[in-house]
């Protein structure tokens, strides 16, 4: 019985070379016997081949060194040709060598961290094609081994390459690679629910689902395959409802949910969601959004740990598709809250994870540095909670109301002081904190909660402390800071500073004053951080008094920290002359262009500029003196020219980022910026004769404003009317003169054209603007006089935070983490609880709460749906 | 006295309460089946399944594979065990370097036991030494095993490292391998029954702090203590 394997177990380098040599001989013999149709020869040589393969496998398993030696001796090429040869062997001889050869492939590829596998391709000379081909084998053991081998090959080439910087994300497959349709269909068929016709064992379905997940992450599935796979996977999950924790059905559900999550994140995410929620020709795979929601909610409730993690993941991805109704949060929220409260971080990790849930434990074994499954589950549950809370005001209130201690728990996690959290590896600790922060951010979208629970819990101070610790504090100059965490914390602050009235805003600047950190973040290399920081500053400036404004821009007297600075602000707006920067190439801005985030930053910076000028004449003076009158006018001229270039509005359809870094649906990137510039002009036009005079001195500005009367967006047309109204106010000394100048450049004719505008606001303001030209100045519309500033304040008050219902569910997708594939790696997440881009712009999705004010006012929005 | 103020529950009342708890017979059967499967009693599981009308949750063939592997280790046929584990799922040893080391350590012990000193030294040099370089935590165990060579074979079992030759060492390695195979088959690696026993003892301890009640002290007979009302 002893020594079933010959001396091959002794394994010097020579031994490995000899093994590879023996394999080559056996393969050649088999090949020759096949060529001459020598049945006896085939049987003998095939059995010899099988034996050598087993020796190779036994040598390779468990020893990274030996794997290296085997590959150096040329095993990879040999394996490829062997795998091409084996299917030609007559059954049943071929099965065993096939399984063994495939397990050698898995074993070699599984150790990619020590063995640099070449970039995988579907080139015939590489291992993947013959491995894929064996997926269609009739013997399930071969299919099983082929699935494992294919997964190992994909994993080693996409995920775990040592040279691959995790932060850079997994490399996508080269664009020209696509899974051959025949293989795709074989693979997808493995996902079909077992039936009399296709009795695919659950184990294979689970393996196939995980392979589909990998293929989706490597972006090599075509959209048809992705959609088809998604509907089958959904059916798998549905079929597993009621499966017990740890049962094969539960494991299959976990794999299916993982694959669904990967598909919902992949290149064909929209097709997949379409298929799941509506189905082709209106017939959804599962009978509609409600059913899929029930299914996911069921899995969040009843599954094993891993199932729950992936169900949460799928859930965080679903809200970005507007078909999913409020039903989603209603059904899933209770389960999530339960999950979160059942997994507080202060339970020692040992107790958290050790349980009957073997699949999770196994994952830990295979990912030695990965975080604990309990921690991952907590992070996933929090991320899903963030997504659920972002859906609607009722769901936010429900989150806080249903679990009394949820806020303290969130704050506790966000603060990161928990001993057990600190004992975890930094990545998993950060993932939990990021997810908790994202939930806080989601909750902070609610004006009601901001005034009550969140204010009581002093959440703003907690977020400030996080930013202080990460950006400044012990970490020094921001090196090694956790960017996702800071991003979420700053995003949460955005909503909080917006709510703060005057005293609130000043309190925000109390120690730990995050202002210097926010200012330094506007210069950070990460565009998402820049964007969130300037967004937050913009909201801080909104409705702020002169003191706060000066703190933000010029810095506080006596404080070592300087403010943002006028030059830096101009820089963030795109510089004095955006054309010089763009080289006139904006029309060619592609989706991948680095300038995309820059444009979003630019819009926010311009909005900040606009918010500075809201208030009293001194505020406009502040801008004039800070920037210099001549520079300001040049700045406005250049930016208006840039915004109106080519004059055909809306043709430069491109996209920009929202705070999650998700691209907004196609909207004219210039429109948003243009509106801010326009309102900056409106604000300046409210000012003194000197301010108005400066505008009137620039023909470029006056001509540019004219063009906005033909702008497709009513907001822009209205804004242009406000410029005219403010310049021609009846009480002002210089109005008659200005009226004559504006008449000469045919303002009245342009305004007349929009008197029958489809938009009632535009009509109203156009009429007001036109009235001025008929009489001696404007007497209708908004009245203000020297003493009228207070009125304006009241007007703004009264408009308050009016809710505008936007189109459908907000863009609340939780962006998932850097690393593909594994829940362990998820870092960033969170619902975009964000101040959305400008209200007057074209809003892709998501309703907004417009912190509206009179035209001429600043703008700052917090998103709501 | 605090103890005197504790509420007491008589044996009769306790038994009445226990009788009121409905326990599904089928659940009990499943517990037994779970124990038989995980501990690898294939024939017993098969018979019990027939009698209790219970379908085992796993294929009985998988128990057989597992038991063959376990027996191979207990017999000292480590190469055979490795071969069979690899047949079952090469990932098991690929992903558990510690387990693989323990198997090879066991192989070294078997070589020394059978007096193949030259082969033992070669094996240690070729296989175990590089492994120890990669994982320094294995070195201490390796050194301890190599110390076996320093003693006279006749008195080896009485030496300070003699415990390595003990059957317990094989048993330990076999159990570790068995657990890894179970995990790879996505089964529990520990039967539920002992955990329930531990929970019972713990729960009794907790309750004892508040209430006097008839306790089960002897888990083998599951008999109650004397009635607290009468003591």
């Amino acid at each position: 019985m002893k020594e079933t394997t010959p001396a091959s177990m002794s394994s010097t380098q020579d031994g490995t070379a000899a093994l590879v040599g023996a394999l080559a001989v056996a393969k050649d013999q088999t090949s020759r016997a096949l060529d001459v149709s020598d049945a006896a020869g085939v049987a003998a040589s095939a059995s010899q081949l099988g034996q050598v393969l087993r020796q190779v496998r036994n040598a390779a398993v468990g020893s990274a060194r030996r794997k290296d030696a085997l590959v150096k001796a040329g095993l990879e090429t040999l394996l490829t040709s062997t795998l091409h040869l084996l299917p030609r062997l007559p059954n049943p001889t071929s099965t065993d060598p096939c399984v063994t050869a495939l397990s050698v492939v898995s074993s070699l590829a599984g150790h990619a961290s020590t063995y640099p596998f070449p970039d995988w391709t579907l080139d015939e000379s590489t291992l993947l094609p013959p491995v894929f081909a064996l997926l269609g084998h009739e013997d399930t053991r071969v299919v099983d081994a082929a699935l494992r081998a294919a997964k190992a090959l994909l994993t080693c080439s996409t995920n775990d390459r040592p040279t691959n910087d995790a932060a850079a994300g997994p490399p996508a497959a080269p664009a020209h690679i696509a899974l051959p349709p025949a293989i795709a269909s074989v693979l997808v068929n493995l996902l079909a629910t077992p039936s009399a016709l296709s009795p695919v064992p659950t184990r294979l379905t689970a393996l196939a689902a995980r392979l589909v997940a990998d293929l989706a992450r490597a972006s090599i599935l075509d959209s048809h395959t992705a959609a088809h796979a998604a509907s089958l996977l959904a059916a798998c999950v549905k079929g597993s409802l009621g499966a017990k924790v740890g049962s094969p059905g539960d494991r299959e559900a976990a794999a299916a949910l993982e694959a669904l999550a990967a598909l919902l994140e992949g290149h064909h995410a929209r097709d997949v969601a379409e298929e799941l929620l509506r189905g082709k020709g209106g017939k959804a795979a599962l009978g509609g959004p409600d059913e899929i929601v029930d299914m996911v909610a069921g899995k969040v409730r009843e599954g094993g740990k891993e199932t729950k993690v992936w169900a949460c993941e799928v859930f965080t991805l679903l809200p970005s598709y507007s078909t999913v109704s409020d039903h989603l949060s209603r059904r899933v929220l209770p389960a999530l809250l339960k999950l979160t409260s059942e997994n507080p971080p202060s339970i020692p990790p040992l107790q958290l994870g050790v349980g009957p849930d073997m699949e999770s434990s196994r994952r830990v074994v295979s990912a030695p540095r990965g975080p604990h499954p309990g921690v991952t589950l907590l992070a996933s549950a929090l991320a899903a909670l963030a997504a659920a809370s972002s859906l609607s005001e009722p769901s936010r209130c429900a989150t806080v109301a249903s679990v009394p201690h949820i806020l303290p728990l969130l704050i506790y996690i966000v603060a990161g002081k928990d001993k057990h959290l600190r004992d975890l590896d930094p990545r998993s600790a950060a993932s939990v904190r990021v997810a908790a922060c994202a939930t806080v951010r989601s909750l902070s979208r609610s004006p009601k909660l901001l005034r009550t629970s969140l204010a009581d819990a002093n959440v703003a101070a907690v977020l400030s402390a996080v930013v202080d610790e990460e950006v400044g504090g012990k970490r020094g100059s921001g090196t090694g800071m956790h960017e996702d965490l800071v991003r979420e914390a700053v995003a949460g602050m955005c909503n909080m500073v917006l709510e703060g009235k005057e005293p609130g805003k000043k309190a925000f600047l109390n120690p730990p004053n995050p202002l210097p950190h926010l200012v330094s973040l506007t210069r950070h290399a990460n565009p998402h951080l820049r964007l969130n920081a300037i967004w937050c500053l913009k909201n801080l400036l909104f409705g702020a008094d002169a003191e706060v404004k000066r703190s933000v821009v010029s810095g506080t007297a006596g404080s070592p920290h300087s403010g943002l600075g006028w030059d830096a602000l101009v820089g963030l707006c795109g510089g004095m002359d955006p054309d010089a920067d763009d080289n006139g190439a904006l029309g060619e801005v592609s989706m991948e262009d680095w300038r995309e985030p820059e444009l979003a930053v630019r819009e926010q910076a311009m909005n900040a500029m606009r918010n500075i000028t809201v208030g009293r004449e001194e505020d406009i003076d502040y801008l004039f003196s800070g920037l210099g009158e001549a520079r300001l006018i040049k700045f406005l001229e250049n930016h208006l020219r840039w915004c109106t270039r080519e004059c055909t509005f809306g043709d430069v359809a491109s996209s920009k980022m929202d705070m999650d870094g998700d691209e907004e649906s196609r909207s004219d990137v210039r429109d948003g910026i243009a509106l801010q510039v326009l309102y900056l002009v409106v604000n300046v036009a409210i000012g003194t004769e000197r301010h108005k005079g400066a505008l009137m001195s620039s023909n470029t500005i006056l001509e540019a404003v004219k063009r906005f009367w033909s702008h497709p967006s009513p907001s822009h047309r209205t804004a242009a009317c406000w410029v005219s109204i403010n310049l021609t106010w009846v009480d002002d000394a210089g109005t008659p003169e200005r009226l004559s100048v504006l008449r000469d450049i045919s303002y009245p004719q342009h305004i007349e054209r929009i008197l029958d505008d489809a938009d009632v606001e535009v009509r109203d303001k156009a009429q007001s603007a036109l009235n001025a030209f008929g009489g001696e100045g404007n007497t209708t519309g908004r009245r203000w006089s020297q003493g009228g500033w207070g009125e304006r304040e009241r007007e703004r008050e009264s408009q308050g935070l009016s809710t505008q219902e936007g189109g459908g569910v907000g863009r609340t997708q939780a962006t998932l983490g850097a690393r593909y594939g594994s829940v362990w790696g998820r870092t960033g997440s969170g619902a975009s609880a964000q101040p959305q881009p400008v209200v007057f712009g074209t809003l892709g999705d998501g309703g907004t709460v417009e912190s509206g004010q009179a035209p001429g006012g600043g703008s700052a929005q917090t998103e709501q749906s | 006295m605090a103890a005197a103020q504790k509420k007491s529950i008589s044996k009769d009342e306790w038994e009445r309460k226990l009788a009121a708890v409905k326990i599904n017979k089928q659940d009990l059967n499943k517990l037994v089946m779970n124990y038989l499967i995980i501990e690898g009693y294939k024939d017993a599981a098969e018979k019990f399944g027939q009698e209790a009308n219970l379908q085992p949750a796993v294929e009985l063939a998988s128990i057989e594979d597992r038991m063959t592997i376990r027996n191979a280790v207990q017999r000292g046929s480590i190469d055979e065990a490795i071969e069979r584990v690899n047949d079952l799922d090469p990932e098991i040893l690929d992903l558990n370097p510690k387990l693989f080391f323990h198997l090879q350590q066991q192989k070294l012990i078997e070589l020394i036991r059978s007096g193949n000193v030259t082969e033992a030294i070669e094996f240690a040099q070729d296989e175990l030494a590089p492994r120890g370089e990669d994982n320094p935590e294995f070195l201490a165990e390796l050194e301890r095993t190599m110390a076996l060579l320093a003693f006279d074979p006749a008195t080896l079992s009485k030496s300070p490292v003699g415990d390595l030759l003990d059957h317990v060492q094989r048993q330990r390695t076999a159990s570790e391998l068995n657990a890894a195979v179970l995990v790879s088959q996505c089964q529990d690696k520990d039967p539920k029954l002992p955990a329930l026993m531990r929970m019972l003892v713990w729960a009794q301890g907790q309750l004892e702090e508040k209430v006097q009640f008839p306790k089960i002290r002897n888990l083998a007979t599951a008999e109650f203590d004397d009635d607290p009302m009468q003591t």
Side-chain angles (χ1 to χ4, degrees), chain A residues 383-421:
Chain A
L385 194 59
S389 306
S390 70
L391 285 174
S392 67
E393 182 70 16
S395 63
R396 280 188 279 273
C397 293
T399 301
V400 174
S402 337
V403 182
H405 62 266
I406 189 84
L407 263 182
L409 174 68
L410 288 172
I411 290 170
Y412 182 69
I413 299 172
V414 169
K417 305 289 182 210
D418 182 67
K419 185 177 170 302
H420 300 296
L421 268 184

Side-chain angles (χ1 to χ4, degrees), chain A residues 158-159 169-172 213-214 216-219 265-267 817-823 825:
Chain A
T158 54
N159 279 349
D214 281 348
R217 286 172 195 131
S219 339
E265 256 189 303
H267 272 194
R819 278 173 60 86
Y820 267 41
S822 60
V823 270

Side-chain angles (χ1 to χ4, degrees), chain A residues 239-303:
Chain A
S240 78
L241 281 175
K244 274 184 298 185
V245 172
S247 68
D250 181 46
R251 289 194 302 276
E252 185 191 29
L257 285 164
E258 176 184 351
L260 274 179
L263 287 167
L264 280 169
E265 256 189 303
H267 272 194
H268 303 294
R270 290 210 168 261
D271 296 319
V272 169
E274 180 90 1
E275 175 71 29
L276 286 176
L277 300 171
R278 284 186 285 277
K280 278 195 289 288
K283 189 171 176 297
L286 285 162
D290 287 355
E291 189 167 355
I292 194 159
V293 167
D294 283 342
M295 183 184 90
V296 172
K299 283 290 148 193
V300 171
R301 271 196 304 273
E302 74 177 17

